[in-house]
Amino acid sequence: MPRKKLVEVKGLKTYFDTEAGVAKAVDGVDFDVFEEEILGIVGESGSGKSVTALSITRLIPSPPGRIVGGEILFKGRDLLKLTYDQLHDIRGREISMIFQEPMTSLNPVFTIGMQLREVIIQHEKVTKDEAHRRSIELLESVGIPDSRKRMKDYPHQFSGGMRQRVMIAMSLACKPSLLIADEPTTALDVTIQAQIIELMLAMKQKHTGAAIILITHDLAVIAETCQRVIVMYGGKIQEAADVGPLFEKPLHPYTQGLMGSIPNPEQEVKGRLKAIRGMVPSIIDLPLGCKFCTRCDSKLAICDTVEPELREVQSGRWVRCHLF
């Protein structure tokens, strides 16, 4: 059976007005998210991953940010054409987001229980007692011990991993169709990272048709959890493919560079990891042609002046590179 599209992003452009000029953080991005899918978005810091996620939920701070073009269709409705009251009903109930740093997402002056209850009461017609009971169950479901007592605690009384568990409970309180996880394991140790990812996947299995957009710079997490992956650089998609083919044979030089930076325990000859030379250029001063040309070892003469189009070079495999 054909998969059903949950989200369609078409020609998305999100710019920021700065004193130095216009920063084209996302500049013409197209992708789909299907029901029950986990889509990974990967790239270095400054590539446009988080701005893409914030654009979907229309949480771009304005000013200085603004969505200047494109469509974001969620279940057939263009989110860019909705009023803020209509968006308010969708956020938290239909689309939820887990942010990078839970300490800045949770309000430090309100208890965890109060913040959980607020989400449930806001989107569902339930009493405070019912919302309180469900909040306790949510904390239990994400592995918070002694949940009834911890409802009275404040965010600073939780560890980083526990705060992220609270954020997951809060984001899944109303059983959303789409969960956007923006680097949910940042600043957590490896053991807690694995627990958080496993928890997200387990919670997703309980909600039929739910999908996840997982934004990360950790390719190992992408390989273990996602079905498809999008590689971003310079505010644009540079490669998109199913996870298996992408890891078996990355096509874009940037993707190859990212893969080369991963330690390989099966490699017989040990040595220094490969690094992509140079630095990510300023989003305000990107190259005229290919955005990666200043760091690419396979650069052609045309790359400096002509930007390549995103082309389907194989079935379901898209690459933005003059080599293809």
Side-chain angles (χ1 to χ4, degrees), residues 69-80:
E71 295 179 315
I72 302 174
L73 302 179
F74 176 71
K75 295 184 176 179
R77 301 173 70 189
D78 190 350
L79 298 181
L80 300 183

Side-chain angles (χ1 to χ4, degrees), residues 89-259:
D89 292 335
I90 291 177
R91 293 189 193 126
R93 183 169 60 88
E94 293 277 0
I95 302 175
S96 286
M97 190 165 180
I98 303 173
F99 297 93
Q100 293 185 29
E101 176 46 62
M103 194 58 190
T104 60
S105 304
L106 294 168
N107 194 320
V109 300
F110 292 118
T111 64
I112 293 298
M114 184 178 294
Q115 295 183 61
L116 274 169
R117 289 194 300 270
E118 182 184 26
V119 174
I120 298 171
I121 293 172
Q122 178 66 41
H123 294 288
E124 298 184 16
K125 296 180 180 179
V126 297
T127 63
K128 289 185 178 180
D129 289 341
E130 174 65 14
H132 185 81
R133 182 188 65 79
R134 284 179 53 182
S135 297
I136 294 173
E137 292 177 352
L138 281 168
L139 290 183
E140 291 175 348
S141 69
V142 297
I144 301 292
D146 201 5
S147 298
R148 188 176 297 275
K149 181 180 177 182
R150 299 309 301 266
M151 286 275 288
K152 301 176 182 178
D153 289 341
Y154 292 85
H156 72 271
Q157 296 175 277
F158 288 71
S159 66
M162 288 293 189
R163 286 196 293 264
Q164 198 61 290
R165 288 172 183 268
V166 172
M167 283 302 301
I168 292 174
M170 192 176 296
S171 64
L172 297 176
C174 299
K175 301 180 180 179
S177 301
L178 176 65
L179 175 64
I180 302 174
D182 186 6
E183 300 194 28
T185 58
T186 297
L188 302 178
D189 63 59
V190 176
T191 304
I192 302 300
Q193 284 184 19
Q195 293 175 359
I196 293 297
I197 293 297
E198 289 177 6
L199 177 60
M200 286 172 51
L201 298 180
M203 298 297 282
K204 173 186 173 296
Q205 294 298 323
K206 296 179 180 180
H207 307 315
T208 304
I212 296 177
I213 297 177
L214 177 60
I215 299 170
T216 182
H217 57 266
D218 192 333
L219 289 167
V221 171
I222 293 287
E224 292 176 3
T225 60
C226 300
Q227 286 85 48
R228 286 192 303 130
V229 59
I230 290 171
V231 181
M232 290 191 68
Y233 184 88
K236 294 179 179 287
I237 295 175
Q238 303 297 333
E239 185 167 358
D242 290 339
V243 165
L246 186 90
F247 276 79
E248 289 173 9
K249 188 179 180 181
L251 299 181
H252 197 284
Y254 178 58
T255 312
Q256 294 171 4
L258 292 176
M259 297 295 183

